[in-house]
Amino acid sequence: MLNNFDKVLERDGKLSELEQRSDQLLDMSSAFSKTTKTLAQKKRWENIRCRVYVGLAVGGGLVVILIVLLVIFYWQSGGGSSAPQAQDSGTASGPGD
């Protein structure tokens, strides 16, 4: 009987130690959960920021290409006709006339 009583007390001590460990694990898991949520949110914002920068870079590149194409077409259509006119006017009123 005394042996059984000692075993019950020993078991009670082990149960209370197990309960303390489980409480510690619960606290640690809550802290881990909070950390993972904040880290996931931080990474999500970094991803969004990266996508915005890439979008701005692509948009800027497209604007530069558009400007270059507009300048090329402008010189071919309207601006290019002024250069031959200067040559024609120079030959028409040359020193030999």
Side-chain angles (χ1 to χ4, degrees):
M1 177 100 168
L2 192 55
N3 191 14
N4 287 341
F5 186 71
D6 288 338
K7 286 182 180 181
V8 166
L9 289 178
E10 183 180 328
R11 184 176 177 195
D12 186 42
K14 288 182 180 180
L15 285 175
S16 67
E17 183 181 330
L18 185 62
E19 186 178 357
Q20 288 175 354
R21 285 184 184 176
S22 69
D23 288 340
Q24 288 176 348
L25 285 174
L26 182 63
D27 292 340
M28 289 171 52
S29 69
S30 296
F32 180 75
S33 176
K34 287 179 184 178
T35 302
T36 56
K37 285 180 183 178
T38 56
L39 183 62
Q41 186 177 14
K42 181 180 176 183
K43 291 297 180 182
R44 190 177 307 117
W45 278 111
E46 285 179 8
N47 190 14
I48 290 171
R49 209 174 326 153
C50 182
R51 287 183 181 187
V52 166
Y53 290 152
V54 168
L56 288 174
V58 168
L62 289 174
V63 166
V64 168
I65 290 172
L66 181 65
I67 290 172
V68 168
L69 289 175
L70 286 175
V71 167
I72 289 172
F73 287 133
Y74 172 75
W75 285 110
Q76 284 179 353
S77 64
S81 62
S82 64
Q85 286 176 356
Q87 289 176 354
D88 289 339
S89 65
T91 58
S93 62
D97 281 337

